[in-house]
Amino acid sequence: KNEVEQSPQNLTAQEGEFITINCSYSVGISALHWLQQHPGGGIVSLFMLSSGKKKHGRLIATINIQEKHSSLHITASHPRDSAVYICAVRSIQGAQKLVFGQGTRLTINP
Amino acid sequence: DTGVSQDPRHKITKRGQNVTFRCDPISEHNRLYWYRQTLGQGPEFLTYFQNEAQLEKSRLLSDRFSAERPKGSFSTLEIQRTEQGDSAMYLCASSLGASTEQFFGPGTRLTVL
């Protein structure tokens, strides 16, 4: 079992829909990252969380440390949100390296 | 553009050849990380540097792989005697310290024929 599991692996929705991507992890962490990867490979950091909730524009990230679970929400989704969203955790034991989930491929249709 | 650059962006090579990739991090960042990503998977950690010191290497980094960061600025990742299984995207990231956000480069896509 992977240390970081994301669901769903693939998600297709219509423009305007509310999107939720989930991430569960099995190790103690010092921080959790949500990343966005567009075709061609470039990765952009969206959020870094250690507790609670963060919001940036239409994106909201939450984390529940006790349940070892995080969610990424996108409100009023748009076709330009289509990308792979990756959850990554920094283990408290792992010398600060990131451990990544397998990613969620999101497609927003107009 | 995150400020982290990688060169080349694409590399096609024949099995058995050596390849070298370069990463230029954000200038004040003291931490530099190398990751590998195969198709449909999330990235996997390979190694990281704090300044010029290589502090950790993954089991994924076989003897054919070597990484350097000679002056604590840019880094190189060399793969000797490439194999088809080395085909992947090689990503570099940098950060200011251990507990801060990592900024990723665009990656180098390696194809071994």
Side-chain angles (χ1 to χ4, degrees):
Chain A
K1 182 171 165 57
N2 293 336
E3 291 177 312
V4 182
E5 294 277 354
Q6 287 184 236
S7 64
Q9 290 192 2
N10 292 283
L11 178 57
T12 299
Q14 291 299 121
E15 183 174 356
E17 288 189 36
F18 182 81
I19 303 299
T20 296
I21 299 170
N22 296 299
C23 175
S24 297
Y25 53 92
S26 58
V27 295
I29 68 168
S30 57
L32 181 143
H33 298 248
W34 281 103
L35 309 165
Q36 181 190 56
Q37 186 171 32
H38 280 284
I43 291 179
V44 175
S45 178
L46 299 175
F47 295 103
M48 185 173 73
L49 293 164
S50 55
S51 64
K53 175 179 174 178
K54 285 190 176 180
K55 185 175 189 290
H56 186 256
R58 295 180 295 105
L59 301 178
I60 303 166
T62 64
I63 188 168
N64 185 318
I65 297 293
Q66 287 73 31
E67 295 187 3
K68 295 186 174 174
H69 181 268
S70 175
S71 293
L72 176 68
H73 306 285
I74 304 175
T75 61
S77 59
H78 190 276
R80 66 175 174 266
D81 297 326
S82 299
V84 176
Y85 292 84
I86 303 173
C87 170
V89 301
R90 190 163 63 236
S91 166
I92 55 176
Q93 298 168 332
Q96 308 303 320
K97 66 178 185 284
L98 292 179
V99 178
F100 297 80
Q102 78 275 32
T104 295
R105 182 173 298 278
L106 174 66
T107 303
I108 304 296
N109 293 319
Chain B
D1 183 359
T2 63
V4 180
S5 62
Q6 291 186 245
D7 184 67
R9 296 288 306 276
H10 303 273
K11 178 70 177 179
I12 300 173
T13 192
K14 293 182 179 179
R15 189 176 53 188
Q17 298 295 305
N18 298 343
V19 293
T20 300
F21 310 140
R22 176 178 170 126
C23 171
D24 286 89
I26 294 171
S27 59
E28 63 266 28
H29 284 185
N30 58 355
R31 289 228 169 183
L32 187 148
Y33 304 81
W34 284 100
Y35 299 95
R36 182 173 71 185
Q37 185 178 27
T38 53
L39 205 59
Q41 301 298 314
E44 296 174 291
F45 170 78
L46 291 179
T47 188
Y48 88 96
F49 294 83
Q50 178 159 310
N51 300 313
E52 65 275 11
Q54 187 174 17
L55 296 186
E56 185 176 346
K57 293 194 290 186
S58 162
R59 292 188 305 273
L60 295 174
L61 218 62
S62 76
D63 291 345
R64 297 183 298 105
F65 288 71
S66 63
E68 294 183 340
R69 195 183 182 197
K71 296 182 180 178
S73 57
F74 73 92
S75 176
T76 58
L77 177 68
E78 181 183 16
I79 309 174
Q80 296 182 327
R81 304 181 304 281
T82 52
E83 301 173 356
Q84 287 184 325
D86 298 331
S87 296
M89 175 76 83
Y90 290 84
L91 294 160
C92 172
S94 70
S95 69
L96 185 63
S99 303
T100 60
E101 182 181 358
Q102 293 185 21
F103 293 81
F104 286 81
T108 295
R109 184 172 296 282
L110 173 66
T111 302
V112 182
L113 302 176

